[in-house]
Amino acid sequence: MSQVKHLRPLKYRSIWISDVHLGFRGCQADFLLNFLQSTECKQLYLVGDIIDVWAMKGGLFWPQAHNNVVRAVLDKARGGTDVVYVPGNHDEILRDHLGSEYGNVRLCDEVIHTTADGRQFLIMHGDKFDQVVQNGRWLAVLGSRLYDLLLAANHRLNAFRRRLGFGYWSLAAYLKHRVKNAVNYIGNYEQAVADEARRRDVDGMICGHIHHAEIRDIDGVTYCNCGDWVESCTALVEHHDGTIELLRWTEAQQVLSCEPAQPMPVPRPAAAAAAVAARLG
């Protein structure tokens, strides 16, 4: 992967990331490290599948870039950021330690987050709403292996694109948006999540799991999905007024890295977000 530029810090109230899959060859650790170094927040939520134990059962893969991501998260925790880790299905081994705290990182099965404007969001990884994971583990593991092969092809494709001067592009995300069964699966998953939020009497749900970043209203419930750091390199961020935004880092990074660092002052988060949104159309 080509080197990424370090951007000036963007300050948010809260940040959510999920499906990083450290220990998996398709993890975009360099992009994530740049994101962590370029942002500051009061609360950081790790919404599951941060470490891919499933992938590591097939052989240990843990390059320095993955160490750097872990170190960056721990640095934030030691520096005063409230870091909460909600395990997913790929790192479900950590569910045996719920309620514990390691390096100022708290392990929770779920957590309620109250935004600056008073809304309540239930935070869960989301695998409990996936019938394939819950009722057919062998099928989920097989699907994970096929997904790995697709991402390996995507890695080679992007290496070729970089040589031609093109930016990052996700083949997996492209296919996911165009295969009817995948579209139906995503829709059913999102509806199940929204139904749970309504049952729990909260304003919305923040989850991950399906590697499909989204913020949308579903029958009066705000559905938010962090996306992932394998295909799309996305995160959810809360501004200081309570607004939640979906940030596509590979796109935002290109916009922000083009802005002059001098003599411009460090922008306020809202202003930076507005600039990114305007330039991304």
Side-chain angles (χ1 to χ4, degrees):
M1 180 177 295
S2 59
Q3 293 295 316
V4 287
K5 295 180 67 175
H6 179 70
L7 308 175
R8 56 183 176 269
L10 300 175
K11 297 183 180 181
Y12 299 104
R13 185 172 185 264
S14 308
I15 293 176
W16 295 263
I17 60 175
S18 73
D19 297 272
V20 175
H21 292 275
L22 295 171
F24 169 58
R25 293 180 185 277
C27 170
Q28 301 290 340
D30 288 332
F31 282 120
L32 177 56
L33 179 63
N34 181 255
F35 171 77
L36 292 171
Q37 292 175 337
S38 302
T39 55
E40 296 178 0
C41 59
K42 295 180 179 179
Q43 298 159 306
L44 173 62
Y45 294 97
L46 309 175
V47 193
D49 287 0
I50 304 303
I51 299 173
D52 195 335
V53 178
W54 288 14
M56 289 191 289
K57 288 180 179 178
L60 183 61
F61 176 76
W62 196 270
Q64 185 60 44
H66 293 204
N67 266 341
N68 294 341
V69 168
V70 173
R71 185 176 296 116
V73 171
L74 293 177
D75 284 347
K76 286 184 180 294
R78 285 192 292 266
T81 299
D82 181 22
V83 181
V84 177
Y85 193 143
V86 178
N89 52 304
H90 282 253
D91 49 14
E92 62 187 352
I93 189 172
L94 295 177
R95 288 173 173 163
D96 294 335
H97 305 279
L98 296 176
S100 301
E101 183 174 304
Y102 300 96
N104 295 334
V105 176
R106 292 185 289 128
L107 287 173
C108 302
D109 189 45
E110 61 180 54
V111 64
I112 295 287
H113 173 80
T114 302
T115 61
D117 56 3
R119 292 177 295 160
Q120 289 194 319
F121 284 81
L122 177 62
I123 303 171
M124 305 173 68
H125 177 63
D127 55 300
K128 69 172 288 184
F129 306 106
D130 187 339
Q131 293 304 307
V132 172
V133 172
Q134 294 300 316
N135 299 324
R137 182 178 176 84
W138 70 268
L139 186 59
V141 173
L142 175 61
S144 179
R145 295 290 182 265
L146 294 174
Y147 181 62
D148 292 351
L149 293 175
L150 177 59
L151 291 175
N154 190 73
H155 178 75
R156 290 191 291 271
L157 174 62
N158 275 288
F160 179 69
R161 285 173 59 86
R162 283 196 299 273
R163 286 197 293 269
L164 296 179
F166 294 107
Y168 178 81
W169 181 74
S170 174
L171 172 63
Y174 175 84
L175 293 176
K176 190 181 293 184
H177 280 84
R178 284 158 178 78
V179 177
K180 182 178 180 180
N181 287 343
V183 172
N184 290 340
Y185 165 78
I186 291 170
N188 292 338
Y189 175 87
E190 292 176 345
Q191 186 63 56
V193 170
D195 289 344
E196 177 69 8
R198 191 176 298 105
R199 187 183 71 82
R200 301 282 288 269
D201 195 27
V202 292
D203 297 290
M205 178 87 86
I206 296 174
C207 60
H209 184 58
I210 61 171
H211 293 209
H212 184 73
E214 186 80 85
I215 298 179
R216 70 187 185 98
D217 181 271
I218 303 178
D219 301 326
V221 171
T222 303
Y223 168 86
C224 302
N225 194 299
C226 309
D228 65 278
W229 291 86
V230 175
E231 301 173 34
S232 57
C233 299
T234 52
L236 295 171
V237 297
E238 179 194 359
H239 297 280
H240 291 277
D241 62 356
T243 303
I244 296 178
E245 177 190 5
L246 176 61
L247 194 61
R248 300 185 182 276
W249 188 243
T250 55
E251 298 173 4
Q253 182 192 65
Q254 291 173 13
V255 173
L256 293 171
S257 63
C258 292
E259 296 180 353
Q262 297 294 336
M264 296 288 287
V266 176
R268 293 176 299 167
V276 172
R279 297 196 186 192
L280 296 180

